[in-house]
Amino acid sequence: MNWPTIKLIFRRELRDQLRDRRTLFTVAILPMLLYPLMGMAMMQVAQFMRESPSRVWIVGEEKLPASPPLIVSGKFNPTFGSAESQLIELISSTAGDGHFESLIKSATSSAGDSSSVEEILRLEMQKRKMDLAIFIPNPIEIPERPDSLIESEANNPQSSPATQVFVLTDSAIDKSRIASERVNRILNQWSKEFSKETLVANEIPTSMIQGVVFTTGDVANKTGKQAAAWSKILPFIIMIWSLTGAFYPAIDLCAGEKERGTFETLLSSPAARSEIAFGKLLTVMTFSMATSFLNLLSMGFTGIFVLTKLGNGMGAGGALPIGIPPLASIGWLLLALIPISALFSAVALAAAAFARSSKEGQYYLVPLLMISMPLMMIPMLPSAELDFGTSLIPVSGLMLLLRSLIEANYTDCLKYAAPVCAINLGCCWLAVRWVIHQFNSETVLFRASERFGIGAWIKHIMRERRSLPSLGSAVLCGVVILVAKFFIGFAVTAPQNFGQFAFQTVIILVATIFIPSVMMALFLTRNPRKSLRLNGCKITMAAAAVLAAIFLNPAFTWLTGFIMHIYPPSGDILMLQEAVSRILGSAPGLWAIILVFALAPAVFEEIAFRGFILSGFQSIQGKWKPILLTSLMFGLAHGIIQQTLITFVIGLVLGLIAIQTKSILPCILFHLTHNSLAVLLSQANRTVVEQSPVLRQYLYSTDGQNYQYATFPAILMTVVGVMLIIWFLQLDTKPSNRSVAYGQVPNLN
Amino acid sequence: MIHVRKLKKTYQDIQSGQFTALAGISFDAMPGQIYGLLGPNGAGKTTALRILSTVLKPTEGSAVVNGFNVTQQPEQVRRQIGFVSCNTAIYDRMTSWELVQYFGQLYGMPLDRLHSKMNALFDRFQMNEIRDVLCSKMSTGMKQKVSIVRAMIHNPPVLIFDEATSGLDILVAREVLKTVEQLRDQGKCIVFSSHIMSEVKRLCDRVAIMNRGVILAEGTPAHLAEKHQEDDMEELFYQLISRSEAQLEADKNAAMVTHNLTSPLAN
């Protein structure tokens, strides 16, 4: 690649985009205008909300004690909350008021039935359009001290019931909730004062009812508090805006150029496709970063201004926990913006390159947003923390790392920076490769507009059937399996015994995995037997597969333990495991468990994954890409994250065996042996192990229930297992006739 | 200069299965010659020119431009050609000066040489008035002028014009044709595709009449007139295309009859 050419293309595209009013509006004008306008609107609304008084209806005001006075001159006593008192419009119903009279009558007749009083008040509140109602049915007086308090309590616990006051709100209405907060603050203060006066009147020291005083403190300093608040907001803002900022330039630079006819001119110039791709990628990245930065800046300034105003308005008690973000956080954000923008720009550019027009480009970018959003939302969850597991999730891991950096948790950052960077840079690299592939693909660049009809499509599929499955049918088969497994999960009920469990397991395997792959092989290919890789194999290959499964079992067991350590199973999974263990207890014998857990999955899954799907993925050049993609599908089909990771790794070995032996028979044997050993290990008990001198050498248990491989034999076995895999790698694999069946993928420079 | 041998290009089409855009065409174009590709829409002219400009890869066959193979040495081929398409294909948000300079730089021209060349071309095509005007504000004729200057900036030995006068008014079209003649006189090898008979008759030294990816007739206009006993180029074109279409229809019917006769149901 020639850097001056990339720079030249980048500079032209940058200038071109800067002259585009739509792009400029999205990148610069929108953030500069939108946030100040939003801030102004927010302040107006907040002002309106603050100044809107609450309408409080009080019934039985005259029954309140003279001291301490709750109501002064038709308003709540400002001593108990001056701000709240100002914001409450008090509407009083006293003796002589018709409603009050009827209410008292109803309340008296219902003999203290609070539900009937509440119902009457609710209807009255609705009728009078009140936010809150206070009903005092009986006079409130300072009680007199009995001669002997202890004696009185002991003889008649009901002698001095607490004075009842009804406070009724409607929590479904915001105004009523606000009124409740205001009134409660006043009533609590008044109630405390009333209790104090009661004690004073009865000559009891007020210190007697103080009880235990809890003194709370916050060890966080001001900067720490601000960092904690900003660490959740800022990463999300830069992520969402860097994605949005990449959208329009990507569409304009690819789909837009195709539409205007300038793309062909550029392609016929000496610039290589990869140079064009990189020039455009740098432009999209620049706009993505600029959008994110300008939005952050504008939002920050507006936010600080608005929050300061709101904070001042709230007085001393309303100080906001958020201020100007720490300076270091800005630095970290700017640093993180580079990989984030690179990733989103590459993905947006590749999607846009596939589109024939700007309109079509927008259709492709919406799903992109839908996929990215959950990854951005994960770190917003309160329980989300940066650990090894979360660091491996693209985008989410980076957001969590950024959060830790802003919070100055440098120990965690150092620990997980490597996996986060590796995963995200890996994703960046894949996305850039995808862009270059799109720019090299003739079918993508010159896709003609096709009128889609289901009849023509089916005719096309039948007409264009090849002897082996295509890449598209492999992906389709994988997707059908995933969707079928998802929906069948809703249909099955919890099995009660082993018979039901076995029946359900086999039916699910047949319906969701076996039938889709076999049907596709029959209808989408000319040679179903070859497509499903139903070929024979040499006895040495079959034996080597069984031995490889045995010798690699300690390594897979260790891997399982490691993954369980990184991603501890959730409570639901543990409950499920317990339920399965219980059901297995009712199995007629070990053979039945092996039949269900080992043989059935080995046959059905191998036919689908190493048979049809791997054959389809083999239309991609090379050996490892098809294996990797098939293993990914195989892992995803297992649903649970822990199983997905383990089966992905096992899938790599199975894929290699399938390609090297050109048969699924060794794969079935490997799968069967591996699953059988897992069953045997889980069913191993102290009696069996202790009685066998061989097993005692190889297995140990710390709790007498779960057995593990002893370290030294495990290492030895793994070495032998790896040697067997090397033996498979060295098998003679002559190039298949796939290149003839598929033709070469055009590679344009 | 350009040697095309058994050039074939097929596409996958959801409606009709495999679609053959070029069915193995062969021709040669020499320096100081205008080679015309004449044919109706869908004849395969643009596909052939896109292969020559390395934008598309041929399915079979070979094409050599000024000694460089389009599949094996695409970058060198791109340095030998200037491509002018019917839709002007220039960047709306650039001025004519910026656009020409950009392409000159893409061809690796040093700035001083590039600017003197640009000044000469802008003078020759009387474009100095529009050098700082954004292309979006130009008329179609002006845009096509910019497009031609853009294609000529690196002084390529081969120029490809794909229906370059399509959509232009008569005055601008004449100017374009005049330019093409001047370029031929300078010794350039020019491939000129069109479906306008008068242009082809006036300009081209050799002509290939194409239909459905096949060259129906090839030679100098005088040779074609003599061979087919038809002086009127338009009439000759019409006769050849009609004959080709009739032959294709007859072949299709014959294939259908053969299929019906050999079908098991026929017995």
Side-chain angles (χ1 to χ4, degrees):
Chain A
M1 271 194 297
N2 185 8
W3 173 241
T5 309
I6 296 172
K7 204 166 79 178
L8 191 67
I9 295 169
F10 165 64
R11 281 170 55 191
R12 194 216 76 81
E13 304 290 8
L14 196 67
R15 185 166 49 187
D16 197 63
Q17 289 303 303
L18 285 172
R19 286 177 182 171
D20 181 21
R21 274 175 297 180
R22 285 173 308 173
T23 310
L24 273 187
F25 179 79
T26 318
V27 175
I29 315 278
L30 188 71
M32 278 195 284
L33 294 179
L34 183 72
Y35 298 113
L37 285 173
M38 274 171 66
M40 277 167 65
M42 224 174 97
M43 281 173 69
Q44 290 297 323
V45 171
Q47 197 179 6
F48 168 76
M49 290 301 287
R50 275 211 317 267
E51 286 178 356
S52 170
S54 303
R55 282 169 62 82
V56 175
W57 178 39
I58 182 159
V59 182
E61 182 194 330
E62 72 283 356
K63 295 183 180 179
L64 287 165
S67 180
L70 179 64
I71 296 167
V72 179
S73 314
K75 282 192 140 328
F76 276 122
N77 191 346
T79 322
F80 306 120
S82 76
E84 287 82 1
S85 168
Q86 292 293 317
L87 293 169
I88 292 171
E89 187 190 336
L90 211 54
I91 294 112
S92 182
S93 287
T94 51
D97 185 315
H99 286 286
F100 169 66
E101 293 294 347
S102 62
L103 201 63
I104 295 294
K105 205 174 167 186
S106 306
T108 317
S109 65
S110 62
D113 182 358
S114 62
S115 63
S116 65
V117 175
E118 281 177 11
E119 183 57 22
I120 295 161
L121 281 170
R122 190 181 65 80
L123 292 171
E124 285 297 314
M125 267 174 76
Q126 281 176 355
K127 207 171 5 173
R128 294 178 177 223
K129 292 191 170 63
M130 295 292 168
D131 300 321
L132 184 139
I134 301 171
F135 174 46
I136 308 152
N138 301 310
I140 301 170
E141 288 164 1
I142 292 178
E144 282 177 21
R145 180 184 179 177
D147 293 337
S148 168
L149 205 64
I150 298 163
E151 198 179 295
S152 162
E153 290 286 326
N155 290 343
N156 187 9
Q158 302 296 321
S159 61
S160 55
T163 310
Q164 201 174 25
V165 174
F166 294 93
V167 179
L168 207 74
T169 55
D170 186 345
S171 63
I173 299 167
D174 284 346
K175 279 186 82 178
S176 187
R177 281 209 303 272
I178 293 166
S180 169
E181 282 169 21
R182 289 169 181 170
V183 168
N184 279 340
R185 270 199 289 271
I186 291 174
L187 291 183
N188 282 338
Q189 287 300 320
W190 176 77
S191 177
K192 276 183 194 166
E193 191 59 34
F194 180 75
S195 302
K196 210 185 276 175
E197 285 195 13
T198 305
L199 294 173
V200 171
N202 288 289
E203 295 171 349
I204 300 168
T206 51
S207 59
M208 279 188 74
I209 58 156
Q210 274 179 358
V212 180
V213 177
F214 293 98
T215 307
T216 55
D218 187 355
V219 291
N221 56 25
K222 197 182 166 194
T223 320
K225 275 195 238 176
Q226 286 175 358
W230 284 111
S231 70
K232 288 173 188 71
I233 306 166
L234 294 179
F236 182 75
I237 293 170
I238 66 153
M239 290 273 174
I240 196 80
W241 279 111
S242 70
L243 181 61
T244 315
F247 272 17
Y248 283 101
I251 293 173
D252 192 59
L253 293 181
C254 288
E257 274 221 46
K258 277 193 204 177
E259 226 170 2
R260 295 187 289 270
T262 47
F263 209 48
E264 204 176 325
T265 315
L266 189 60
L267 293 178
S268 63
S269 77
R273 305 285 163 99
S274 51
E275 289 162 1
I276 298 172
F278 266 102
K280 286 181 184 288
L281 181 64
L282 286 176
T283 315
V284 179
M285 252 183 87
T286 308
F287 278 93
S288 165
M289 287 164 70
T291 310
S292 200
F293 179 72
L294 288 173
N295 273 282
L296 200 65
L297 210 65
S298 180
M299 195 186 267
F301 275 122
T302 312
I304 290 163
F305 177 73
V306 171
L307 290 172
T308 314
K309 283 274 176 194
L310 288 177
N312 291 341
M314 283 180 180
L320 292 160
I322 198 159
I324 298 164
L327 201 64
S329 65
I330 304 292
W332 292 123
L333 282 170
L334 293 178
L335 191 70
L337 202 52
I338 300 166
I340 292 165
S341 297
L343 178 61
F344 287 141
S345 302
V347 175
L349 199 64
F354 194 71
R356 281 169 295 217
S357 63
S358 304
K359 195 178 168 191
E360 197 182 311
Q362 283 169 11
Y363 293 145
Y364 293 145
L365 292 175
V366 171
L368 184 63
L369 186 68
M370 303 292 282
I371 294 166
S372 310
M373 280 304 281
L375 294 175
M376 292 185 214
M377 296 305 289
I378 291 171
M380 304 286 281
L381 299 172
S383 57
E385 276 180 19
L386 182 66
D387 52 34
F388 189 70
T390 51
S391 71
L392 298 178
I393 306 171
V395 181
S396 306
L398 191 60
M399 274 180 82
L400 287 168
L401 180 73
L402 200 52
R403 202 169 98 180
S404 295
L405 283 168
I406 295 171
E407 286 171 357
N409 290 335
Y410 297 119
T411 324
D412 277 356
C413 296
L414 274 175
K415 216 152 94 185
Y416 301 115
V420 169
C421 291
I423 288 289
N424 286 282
L425 288 175
C427 288
C428 269
W429 181 79
L430 282 175
V432 172
R433 289 278 309 213
W434 187 28
V435 174
I436 294 171
H437 178 264
Q438 294 284 74
F439 275 68
N440 271 315
S441 172
E442 205 173 273
T443 47
V444 170
L445 296 176
F446 297 101
R447 234 157 33 98
S449 180
E450 285 162 355
R451 193 164 46 85
F452 184 79
I454 191 82
W457 183 67
I458 291 169
K459 213 170 120 189
H460 170 75
I461 286 174
M462 295 306 285
R463 189 179 50 217
E464 297 301 321
R465 271 190 311 163
R466 296 160 174 170
S467 63
L468 297 172
S470 65
L471 177 67
S473 33
V475 174
L476 181 68
C477 184
V479 172
V480 166
I481 289 173
L482 292 179
V483 173
K485 284 198 87 161
F486 176 75
F487 282 110
I488 212 156
F490 295 108
V492 293
T493 50
Q496 300 302 314
N497 52 45
F498 183 79
Q500 280 181 14
F501 176 77
F503 181 72
Q504 266 186 15
T505 308
V506 175
I507 287 293
I508 289 172
L509 282 168
V510 170
T512 62
I513 294 175
F514 179 69
I515 290 178
S517 53
V518 171
M519 293 297 274
M520 284 191 191
L522 288 172
F523 289 104
L524 301 180
T525 67
R526 291 187 197 280
N527 193 339
R529 193 180 65 83
K530 260 192 165 178
S531 298
L532 296 173
R533 225 183 282 270
L534 298 173
N535 305 319
C537 72
K538 288 180 187 169
I539 191 82
T540 47
M541 293 175 180
V546 174
L547 288 173
I550 293 169
F551 285 107
L552 286 175
N553 197 259
F556 289 135
T557 310
W558 176 84
L559 179 72
T560 309
F562 178 68
I563 289 168
M564 292 294 184
H565 176 70
I566 300 168
Y567 297 101
S570 65
D572 289 346
I573 294 171
L574 289 172
M575 277 169 68
L576 194 74
Q577 278 178 344
E578 267 178 41
V580 171
S581 301
R582 266 201 312 276
I583 287 169
L584 293 185
S586 65
L590 198 59
W591 62 269
I593 301 173
I594 288 176
L595 205 71
V596 175
F597 274 93
L599 186 65
V603 173
F604 299 131
E605 288 180 354
E606 289 316 306
I607 285 176
F609 289 99
R610 258 58 62 179
F612 188 82
I613 294 176
L614 183 61
S615 295
F617 280 131
Q618 274 189 273
S619 58
I620 304 169
Q621 299 293 308
K623 183 191 292 178
W624 293 106
K625 273 187 201 167
I627 293 175
L628 201 74
L629 290 169
T630 309
S631 305
L632 199 67
M633 285 265 181
F634 183 54
L636 288 173
H638 285 79
I640 303 162
I641 178 80
Q642 293 87 353
Q643 266 197 319
T644 298
L645 293 170
I646 298 158
T647 47
F648 169 74
V649 179
I650 297 169
L652 295 174
V653 177
L654 284 166
L656 180 76
I657 294 173
I659 285 185
Q660 295 300 105
T661 60
K662 299 190 183 80
S663 166
I664 56 160
L665 192 60
C667 302
I668 292 174
L669 291 171
F670 184 100
H671 201 145
L672 172 67
T673 312
H674 172 83
N675 284 16
S676 303
L677 285 171
V679 168
L680 290 172
L681 205 62
S682 69
Q683 297 296 307
N685 58 50
R686 188 189 288 268
T687 322
V688 175
V689 177
E690 292 302 321
Q691 279 174 0
S692 162
V694 180
L695 287 179
R696 276 209 310 270
Q697 294 281 319
Y698 289 97
L699 299 176
Y700 77 94
S701 171
T702 48
D703 56 4
Q705 284 179 338
N706 297 310
Y707 278 87
Q708 301 283 324
Y709 284 97
T711 312
F712 185 65
I715 293 170
L716 266 181
M717 285 171 79
T718 307
V719 170
V720 178
V722 170
M723 283 164 71
L724 283 162
I725 296 299
I726 293 169
W727 180 81
F728 276 111
L729 268 169
Q730 286 172 346
L731 284 178
D732 179 34
T733 50
K734 283 175 191 163
S736 66
N737 58 351
R738 296 203 65 91
S739 55
V740 180
Y742 291 108
Q744 298 291 321
V745 176
N747 182 22
L748 303 172
N749 293 311
Chain B
M1 188 63 80
I2 294 177
H3 306 289
V4 174
R5 292 289 172 274
K6 294 179 182 172
L7 204 63
K8 193 173 173 186
K9 181 71 188 174
T10 53
Y11 299 104
Q12 287 297 320
D13 180 57
I14 200 162
Q15 299 288 331
S16 58
Q18 203 173 57
F19 170 73
T20 304
L22 288 178
I25 62 164
S26 301
F27 65 87
D28 295 296
M30 294 300 157
Q33 197 180 63
I34 299 175
Y35 192 92
L37 285 178
L38 189 63
N41 291 335
K45 304 185 297 289
T46 301
T47 303
L49 299 183
R50 276 180 175 171
I51 291 172
L52 288 180
S53 61
T54 75
V55 170
L56 292 181
K57 283 229 166 192
T59 313
E60 279 175 35
S62 72
V64 176
V65 178
N66 204 22
F68 298 105
N69 190 297
V70 291
T71 43
Q72 286 150 15
Q73 299 154 297
E75 200 181 317
Q76 286 93 325
V77 169
R78 287 199 285 267
R79 291 186 181 279
Q80 309 303 312
I81 60 164
F83 189 87
V84 181
S85 70
C86 57
N87 60 1
T88 69
I90 54 173
Y91 295 107
D92 280 348
R93 297 192 284 262
M94 284 180 108
T95 65
S96 56
W97 185 264
E98 287 168 348
L99 186 125
V100 177
Q101 179 177 293
Y102 170 60
F103 277 92
Q105 285 179 300
L106 274 182
Y107 282 98
M109 294 172 75
L111 265 183
D112 51 345
R113 194 159 73 84
L114 176 62
H115 284 157
S116 66
K117 176 88 178 162
M118 282 170 73
N119 280 322
L121 283 170
F122 273 65
D123 285 342
R124 178 176 160 192
F125 286 93
Q126 296 165 352
M127 284 169 48
N128 285 317
E129 277 181 19
I130 57 159
R131 61 188 280 169
D132 296 322
V133 175
L134 285 177
C135 293
S136 58
K137 302 231 165 86
M138 292 178 191
S139 66
T140 316
M142 280 179 180
K143 283 182 183 178
Q144 194 60 303
K145 268 190 184 179
V146 177
S147 190
I148 291 170
V149 171
R150 190 241 336 129
M152 287 167 61
I153 189 67
H154 59 296
N155 197 22
V158 176
L159 279 148
I160 297 169
F161 290 83
D162 183 15
E163 300 188 0
T165 55
S166 176
L168 299 182
D169 66 56
I170 190 78
L171 295 172
V172 182
R174 279 176 79 95
E175 212 172 323
V176 171
L177 297 179
K178 205 172 134 190
T179 309
V180 174
E181 279 176 325
Q182 285 171 354
L183 289 167
R184 184 252 319 267
D185 297 341
Q186 287 170 15
K188 308 276 184 202
C189 173
I190 293 161
V191 182
F192 188 90
S193 91
S194 178
H195 53 250
I196 304 166
M197 305 304 131
S198 54
E199 275 181 3
V200 175
K201 194 175 177 185
R202 178 187 148 187
L203 273 182
C204 299
D205 302 295
R206 288 186 77 82
V207 179
I209 297 176
M210 291 180 73
N211 190 38
R212 294 184 187 251
V214 176
I215 292 179
L216 303 174
E218 202 260 355
T220 62
H223 168 76
L224 289 177
E226 191 187 322
K227 189 180 171 186
H228 296 279
Q229 299 291 304
E230 181 56 67
D231 286 340
D232 187 354
M233 195 67 159
E234 195 167 325
E235 188 56 35
L236 171 64
F237 176 78
Y238 179 74
Q239 280 178 18
L240 284 168
I241 300 295
S242 305
R243 221 179 291 158
S244 155
E245 288 294 317
Q247 185 62 47
L248 280 168
E249 191 64 26
D251 290 348
K252 204 169 142 190
N253 289 338
M256 213 184 256
V257 171
T258 315
H259 173 75
N260 289 340
L261 286 173
T262 52
S263 156
L265 287 173
N267 301 319

